């Protein structure tokens, strides 16, 4: 089940890693153009999703046949699991990572194994040098927010030339390093990104994969066997507009990064430990006040963050970076919740 | 692979069973409202798809928990296959029917068996009284266009109380009889419908299933394991508007039915045999001119119909009902292609 989606006036929603800024004004213009051509809605959309795959290919310096688009990166990842993971050997991904990898493995009856992150919540690349049926690495990882460099990813690729290696870069635009340059060298690399975070369009459901023509063709073959027309006409049109407004995209990402830097400083003043984030969220823990208590106390105040009641991370909170104003409200609330004097519980 | 989607000026597109009329003006109004609230696009859509499931439930006299929505009926049917068909016994559907049933069965490794339609392309209900792992009946069937009555469907249900029986009613609004009243009596019945045909919104990708809360819950469980947010924000909003404009919906269906009656008469004057259609298309064959030749000759004239190069139906054409004007252009072209005098080949 996804995170809660409560919506009421004056709430502060920092629980599902959405972008605090609206989509580009060019997206609005594209939407208005659609309204002048409602006749087009009676027809099926282009099943090759070509305007969108083409503009993404151009944006990332790839050929059109190196891009696959789907209904959010969940759809893209799900199709990738179904397409590439057929071995008797287990697919490998970290024990703490995006919560859908094991769900897809279970639905599609794919064996899997989850090497543990180290004590600092870092991926140990050597864990991925064993025989496997595929590898999935979220980079930056979620919910830890930690990014690894491109050399780290390349080491994993070098040791795994027989497996498909998926790098899930949902959060890469907030300070991570993309594996994109490695596509030239590794035909077994699939990079997955999304419009839901950095492009501020979670409501549109657009995700994409980039890889060799062989991998993309295989994914399309599976896609055409399930649902030929996944991307509706508005998605295709406004998706193109979003990619074309590169300046707006960069500006939003920079604003989020600036707010993250400020928010981390403020949280540290309140004695929180924050992992090094290259994402649009912070993963934090407090030395005296349990995460579950902080979560509940924030919720009472109309501030929603994410709490995972799972082994190893049940004393952490994942806090989406909102606007500066939202983060100020968060800090004011936390000031009431966590003790400023040490070693005293404040809830 | 789906049917061709050529788009050029002045073409007559009668090959993918789209509605010849645009969506309701209320759909356009709903789209324009979305443009005034672009801020909403940064947020994930409602994962329960509630505005849309609720309005569909109301429209069909059901409870909200009896409706499932997906990205076109292909998505809905694919989720249903994955959810319900797990037996070692074969799933049953006719040898001539919607071309995706066997594809989904293959992708999900579901055993299946295809009882033959009789010599008049009718389903023999007795074929479905054998042990099975599930049943799928398109009613009206495609590409035959023939509809069976509700008693026929009930007979199949009565003989199959241990299997999930899916009735695919993609074309029901053009003269078929829905199995809807049987939902009260049979908890194993799942009815699937779509916005792509009668609601003139193929470009939006909206399909839905109606069934017992048990079946719908099971489908949602699988859906939440694959992609929690399949329906984007525009789909949910304009989908509601489309359902609410019932008068427009009925008017479009009636216009299509009137044009179908006229088109059939014209085709019969040209010596075509037309199966009895309760759909927005006609399935036709000519006694002297091979279907493949007619298909090619129409294509040369910018008129696209559908030809299936498959056993038993390779001398038939599936012709979507377009506007009266489009059908007139079709008849003019056919007049050039098929001989008016008997027993002379005219291509």
């Amino acid at each position: 089940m996804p995170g809660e989606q409560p919506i009421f006036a004056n709430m502060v929603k920092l629980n599902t890693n959405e972008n605090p800024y609206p989509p580009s004004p060019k997206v609005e213009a594209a939407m208005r153009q659609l309204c002048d051509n409602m006749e087009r809605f009676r027809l099926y959309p282009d099943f090759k999703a070509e305007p969108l795959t083409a503009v993404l290919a151009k944006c990332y310096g790839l050929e059109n046949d190196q891009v696959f688009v789907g209904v959010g990166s969940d759809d893209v990842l799900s199709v990738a699991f179904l397409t590439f993971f057929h071995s008797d050997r287990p697919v490998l991904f970290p024990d703490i990572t995006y919560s859908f990898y094991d769900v897809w493995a279970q639905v599609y009856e794919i064996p899997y194994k989850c090497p543990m992150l180290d004590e600092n919540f870092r991926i140990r690349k050597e864990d991925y040098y064993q025989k496997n049926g595929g590898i999935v690495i979220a980079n930056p990882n979620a919910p830890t927010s930690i990014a690894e460099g491109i050399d780290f990813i390349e080491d994993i690729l070098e040791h795994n030339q027989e497996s498909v290696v998926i790098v899930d870069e949902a959060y890469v635009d907030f300070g991570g390093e993309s594996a994109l340059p490695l596509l030239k060298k590794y035909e077994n690399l699939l990079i997955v990104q999304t419009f839901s975070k950095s492009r501020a369009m979670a409501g549109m459901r657009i995700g994409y994969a980039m890889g060799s023509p062989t991998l993309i063709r295989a994914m399309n073959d599976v896609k055409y066997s399930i649902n030929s027309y996944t991307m509706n006409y508005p998605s295709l049109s406004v998706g193109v507009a979003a990619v074309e407004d590169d300046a707006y995209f960069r500006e939003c990402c920079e604003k989020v990064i600036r707010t993250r830097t400020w928010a981390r400083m403020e949280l540290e003043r309140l004695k929180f430990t924050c992992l090094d984030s290259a994402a649009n969220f912070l993963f934090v823990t407090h030395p005296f006040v349990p995460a579950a208590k902080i979560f509940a106390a924030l919720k009472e105040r109309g501030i929603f963050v994410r709490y995972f009641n799972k082994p190893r991370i049940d004393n952490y909170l994942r806090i989406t970076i909102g606007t500066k104003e939202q983060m100020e409200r968060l800090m004011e609330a936390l000031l009431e919740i966590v003790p400023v004097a040490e070693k005293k519980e404040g809830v």
Side-chain angles (χ1 to χ4, degrees), chain A:
Chain A
M1 295 286 286
E4 287 179 280
Q5 292 286 23
I7 292 179
F8 52 83
N10 215 18
M11 67 173 282
V12 177
K13 192 170 176 311
L14 306 174
N15 66 333
T16 47
N17 295 346
E18 287 138 335
N19 202 306
Y21 305 107
S24 150
K26 293 199 175 156
V27 168
E28 183 183 333
M31 275 291 287
R32 292 198 186 276
Q33 274 194 338
L34 291 184
C35 299
D36 297 332
N37 187 20
M38 291 305 294
E39 156 75 15
R40 179 62 185 82
F41 281 72
R42 70 176 185 85
L43 299 172
Y44 283 94
D46 178 40
F47 71 90
K48 289 186 186 156
E50 235 166 38
L52 187 54
T53 47
V55 82
L56 284 166
K58 196 178 155 205
C59 173
Y60 292 102
L62 302 170
E63 299 298 321
N64 289 8
D65 62 359
Q66 292 188 272
V67 180
F68 173 94
V69 294
V71 182
S73 60
D74 281 354
D75 180 36
V76 174
L77 286 162
S78 161
V79 170
F81 270 59
L82 193 56
T83 306
F84 299 122
F85 298 158
H86 288 289
S87 168
D88 292 333
R89 292 183 183 146
V91 169
L92 306 177
F93 45 82
D95 65 331
I96 298 169
T97 190
Y98 184 45
S99 56
F100 267 85
Y101 302 152
D102 57 348
V103 179
W104 290 314
Q106 286 161 27
V107 173
Y108 300 129
E109 295 174 6
I110 299 162
Y112 65 98
K113 216 164 99 179
C114 299
M116 278 177 79
L117 296 184
D118 73 14
E119 67 282 7
N120 299 314
F121 291 125
R122 303 290 291 263
I123 298 167
R124 287 183 290 219
K125 61 185 175 187
E126 297 75 16
D127 290 343
Y128 298 85
Y129 297 170
Q130 57 183 302
K131 297 260 182 208
N132 62 70
I135 288 175
V136 191
I137 301 286
N139 190 38
N141 196 11
T144 66
S145 76
I146 297 171
E148 302 296 342
I150 194 168
D151 294 344
F152 181 99
I153 298 295
E154 183 159 17
D155 282 342
I156 290 178
L157 280 160
E158 263 189 1
H159 282 84
N160 289 283
Q161 314 222 8
E162 303 300 308
S163 297
V164 172
V165 176
I166 298 176
V167 182
D168 179 353
E169 297 187 340
Y171 298 103
V172 75
D173 297 320
F174 302 107
E177 189 180 4
S178 175
L180 208 64
L182 299 176
L183 281 181
K184 283 204 185 77
K185 207 165 152 191
Y186 298 93
E187 287 227 320
N188 59 325
L189 167 62
L190 191 81
I191 298 172
V192 177
Q193 298 191 356
T194 177
F195 281 50
S196 300
K197 313 298 179 187
S198 53
R199 297 194 189 272
M201 281 170 62
M204 245 3 230
R205 315 305 303 121
I206 305 175
Y208 52 108
M210 302 179 285
S212 61
T214 317
L215 294 192
I216 299 303
R217 197 178 315 117
M219 288 179 74
N220 272 319
D221 286 347
V222 168
K223 176 203 147 133
Y224 295 140
S225 303
I226 296 175
N227 189 357
S228 304
Y229 304 97
T230 54
M231 306 300 289
N232 66 16
Y233 177 55
S235 290
L236 293 176
S237 307
V238 310
V240 168
V243 178
E244 284 174 346
D245 198 351
D246 197 56
Y248 182 87
F249 161 70
R250 286 176 196 278
E251 189 193 318
C252 287
C253 290
E254 278 159 25
K255 279 197 284 189
V256 168
I257 293 169
R258 275 201 300 276
T259 310
R260 182 180 70 206
T261 305
W262 174 83
R264 180 175 177 167
M265 218 172 56
E266 292 295 304
L267 288 164
E268 285 175 347
R269 287 209 305 159
L270 294 170
K271 309 271 184 279
F272 280 93
T273 302
C274 305
L275 302 195
D276 271 342
S277 173
N280 69 337
F281 58 88
L282 288 165
F283 200 53
V284 309
T285 187
H286 196 273
F288 316 128
V289 192
K293 283 199 178 179
I294 302 174
F295 170 78
L298 285 172
K299 192 170 171 178
E300 271 172 30
R301 290 162 173 83
I303 299 173
F304 290 76
V305 299
R306 192 79 189 266
Y307 172 66
F308 300 90
N309 194 6
K310 286 185 179 176
R312 298 183 74 195
I313 56 170
D314 59 359
N315 201 26
Y316 281 79
L317 295 173
R318 191 193 70 185
I319 304 174
T320 303
I321 304 300
T323 59
K324 185 78 186 289
E325 295 65 34
Q326 288 177 317
M327 299 314 272
E328 281 165 355
R329 269 193 60 194
L330 170 74
M331 301 309 164
E332 283 161 25
L334 286 174
L335 207 57
E336 295 172 22
I337 296 164
V338 302
V340 179
E342 277 185 30
K343 288 187 191 172
K344 210 178 117 198
E345 197 171 295
V347 178

